[in-house]
Amino acid sequence: MIPTLAWTPEGVRFIDQTKLPLEESYVLATTYEQVADVIVTMVVRGAPAIGVSAAYGIALGALKTKATTPAEFAPEFEQICARLAGTRPTAVNLFWAIDRMKKLFARLAAAGDSLDEVRGKILAEADAMYQEDIAACKAMGAFGGALLPDVGGVLTHCNAGALATCGYGTALGVIRSAVEQGKKIKVYADETRPFLQGARLTAWELMEDGIDTTVICDNMAASLMRAGKIQAVVVGADRIAANGDTANKIGTYNVAILAKEHGIPFYVAAPWSTIDLATATGEAIPIEERPAVEVTHHGGKQLTPNGVGIRNPAFDVTPAKYITGIVTERGVLRAPYVESLRGMELAAK
Ligand code: MRU
């Protein structure tokens, strides 16, 4: 299995996703500040993976504190949560994980647990999130794999794979499951400028699994669709609003429009921790703007003239009307999403 992140006795170990596919190296974070740094610098990325990373960051903060009681630790706990929450704004999984830890800490402190008990339970909660994420990916795979054609091309954008989760992947989990079911899937991976998660990461992990994969530049999708090479699109998500509008890697919106124009189903695969019922529509989803250098330079080489204006929004929002189905670990949702999302949330309570 691809080791995206792992808890070790020394700290949290991350595969360095900025170095893949040319180098398989690891970064060890021994403090919560270092976990925050690996999230900001994209050593670890992908919505579910950064949520679980933050949970382990909180566990590291609790282990390293010099406080002796939960009450003494409380202000530091808030500071740790605030630092981790300040790393990246779009993927709601980050805030979901931090919120879950805040609720746990409040419960344990109120119950009179010792700081050592709190430490153990916080780490156990992070471990539970890790295991739940893998289980959710497997369940999405089973639901979503059935939607893919028996034979055909499937386009994906960015990396919503094992590297973006604790294992197996969301969109790539759906593809993995279809392949495991014996379907003959040819994957087209958008390179995903500017950070190249598709060319570097999706291609790397699918090749590791021996899945038929072809990388295309982002501007090639329309002509492949027109040529009949693509029978379905499946992507991940960073935040799904209550009406189904979906934030995902910049360029996802383009693909969704192209899919609609060519009559190709467009699926989003995401765990329930990506669904944000408190955000009514995509308009309210905060979009991260990343450093200009990711656009102006590649591999240390400058591509653009000095002083030119640069924009680098890391995500866009695909309006719900373009989404054929949202695959979650609870099942596949269909439009109208306001009703199907709320209905499935109520049914799970
Ligand atoms: O900027 P990134 O690499 O963190 O963006 C990742 C994506 O947009 C993924 O598609 C999304 O997080 C889903 S990952 C299962």
Side-chain angles (χ1 to χ4, degrees):
M1 196 162 104
I2 288 161
T4 308
L5 69 144
W7 178 261
T8 76
E10 291 78 39
V12 194
R13 197 188 70 153
F14 297 92
I15 194 166
D16 187 344
Q17 300 195 31
T18 65
K19 302 267 166 53
L20 287 170
L22 299 182
E23 188 186 316
E24 192 174 326
S25 58
Y26 292 84
V27 173
L28 183 71
T30 59
T31 64
Y32 79 85
E33 289 98 333
Q34 288 172 358
V35 172
D37 287 345
V38 302
I39 295 173
V40 168
T41 57
M42 312 267 282
V43 164
V44 68
R45 32 65 51 202
I50 64 177
V52 176
S53 299
Y56 278 122
I58 294 170
L60 274 178
L63 283 177
K64 297 270 159 113
T65 180
K66 293 197 168 62
T68 55
T69 64
E72 211 183 296
F73 178 50
E76 196 182 335
F77 175 83
E78 284 304 322
Q79 197 184 315
I80 293 167
C81 291
R83 172 70 189 106
L84 289 160
T87 52
R88 298 193 71 192
T90 304
V92 76
N93 309 60
L94 178 70
F95 308 99
W96 167 88
I98 293 170
D99 216 53
R100 187 161 153 178
M101 284 302 193
K102 282 187 176 177
K103 287 186 179 127
L104 174 70
F105 182 69
R107 257 196 331 270
L108 299 176
D113 279 29
S114 71
L115 190 57
D116 265 347
E117 287 169 323
V118 168
R119 286 185 174 110
K121 288 177 186 172
I122 284 181
L123 179 56
E125 189 79 354
D127 285 337
M129 289 184 206
Y130 182 99
Q131 295 302 339
E132 286 167 23
D133 185 53
I134 297 173
C137 288
K138 289 279 169 78
M140 275 178 263
F143 287 121
L147 301 172
L148 297 188
D150 290 342
V151 180
V154 176
L155 177 71
T156 189
H157 190 75
C158 193
N159 172 269
L163 287 167
T165 60
C166 297
Y168 205 67
T170 58
L172 297 193
V174 166
I175 290 171
R176 280 195 168 91
S177 163
V179 171
E180 284 160 16
Q181 289 166 32
K183 297 188 174 187
K184 303 267 174 288
I185 304 290
K186 183 174 182 66
V187 180
Y188 289 94
D190 268 348
E191 66 173 349
T192 317
R193 274 278 290 158
F195 213 74
L196 302 178
Q197 289 94 331
R200 298 187 302 105
L201 308 176
T202 293
W204 179 76
E205 69 165 89
L206 292 181
M207 296 289 286
E208 288 280 300
D209 275 8
I211 295 174
D212 179 358
T213 305
T214 298
V215 171
I216 60 169
C217 300
D218 298 330
N219 50 5
M220 296 174 184
S223 78
L224 285 181
M225 288 181 180
R226 196 179 170 98
K229 301 282 186 207
I230 292 166
Q231 279 62 52
V233 177
V234 56
V235 299
D238 289 85
R239 192 187 291 234
I240 300 174
N243 70 343
D245 290 352
T246 294
N248 191 48
K249 179 54 52 193
I250 191 79
T252 303
Y253 178 29
N254 309 32
V255 179
I257 293 170
L258 294 178
K260 180 105 172 175
E261 172 65 21
H262 292 88
I264 296 167
F266 179 93
Y267 298 110
V268 171
W272 210 259
S273 53
T274 305
I275 289 160
D276 180 9
L277 295 179
T279 294
T281 72
E283 298 270 297
I285 299 177
I287 301 294
E288 176 183 13
E289 182 90 19
R290 291 198 54 88
V293 70
E294 292 175 359
V295 176
T296 58
H297 287 65
H298 183 63
K301 220 174 148 223
Q302 188 169 333
L303 304 171
T304 53
N306 290 332
V308 71
I310 298 291
R311 286 290 318 273
N312 188 14
F315 303 96
D316 59 24
V317 175
T318 298
K321 67 176 182 184
Y322 293 107
I323 300 172
T324 312
I326 299 177
V327 181
T328 74
E329 70 273 40
R330 299 179 187 174
V332 180
L333 289 94
R334 304 282 181 175
Y337 294 109
V338 177
E339 283 154 37
S340 55
L341 283 165
R342 187 171 318 172
M344 206 169 266
E345 175 68 352
L346 288 175
K349 279 192 173 154

